[in-house]
Amino acid sequence: MRTDEEAWGRMLALHARIEQELTKALHRRHGLGLSEYRALGKLAAAEKRGLRMQELAEAVGLNQSSVSRMVARLEDGGLTFRDICEDDRRGVYSVITDAGLARHAETEPTYREILAAALDQAAADPTLAEAVAAIRPA
């Protein structure tokens, strides 16, 4: 009988393996970090192509300080810009640019390819197969 702790440990191992593969591929092929890729995706999908900084932090799982540094890198690359909230002048939005949309679109096939390959590889590992089966669509 497996415990919750063992099952959670396998899920964490799977997560770490997949994140590592995605990180390496995105950086090597596109010069983009995994959090940056995810941020561009969240911004691209958002209404008016932007999110408050706190919303973006929550969406990509970063704290406020980390998301501010990440957004600064995206801005330096011309992929996003900051905008003040019209309703609340204290609110700051990160907004994706057309270049950011294009960069996300060119990077997305790599993300999907590597994710599928990493999951396939993990599914072949007897210690991770059950964790993969739990998250993959039937």
Side-chain angles (χ1 to χ4, degrees):
M1 186 163 129
R2 295 192 175 133
T3 66
D4 287 344
E5 290 172 22
E6 291 170 332
W8 184 243
R10 284 189 300 281
M11 192 62 72
L12 290 175
L14 174 63
H15 178 265
R17 180 186 285 189
I18 302 298
E19 294 280 286
Q20 189 174 46
E21 291 298 317
L22 289 168
T23 297
K24 284 190 302 190
L26 291 174
H27 183 71
R28 185 173 41 242
R29 295 184 191 181
H30 303 282
L32 200 63
L34 184 54
S35 292
E36 293 165 340
Y37 167 81
R38 289 183 174 145
L40 290 175
K42 296 296 183 185
L43 293 173
E47 186 178 331
K48 298 183 183 178
R49 299 183 349 182
L51 292 170
R52 280 182 178 257
M53 295 291 280
Q54 184 59 40
E55 292 171 325
L56 183 58
E58 291 170 10
V60 296
L62 296 175
N63 63 38
Q64 190 70 37
S65 176
S66 295
V67 86
S68 291
R69 288 190 304 273
M70 178 194 62
V71 166
R73 289 190 303 273
L74 292 171
E75 287 173 350
D76 289 346
L79 304 177
T80 65
F81 65 92
R82 292 181 203 227
D83 197 16
I84 302 298
C85 177
E86 293 177 10
D87 300 333
D88 176 4
R89 293 305 216 182
R90 296 170 295 164
V92 177
Y93 279 79
S94 180
V95 181
I96 193 168
T97 63
D98 289 340
L101 288 170
R103 185 72 172 280
H104 184 262
E106 82 181 24
T107 307
E108 191 171 26
T110 296
Y111 181 90
R112 289 180 182 209
E113 170 198 336
I114 298 303
L115 176 60
L119 285 169
D120 288 345
Q121 185 179 29
D125 180 337
T127 63
L128 298 176
E130 189 177 337
V132 173
I135 62 168
R136 269 200 154 156

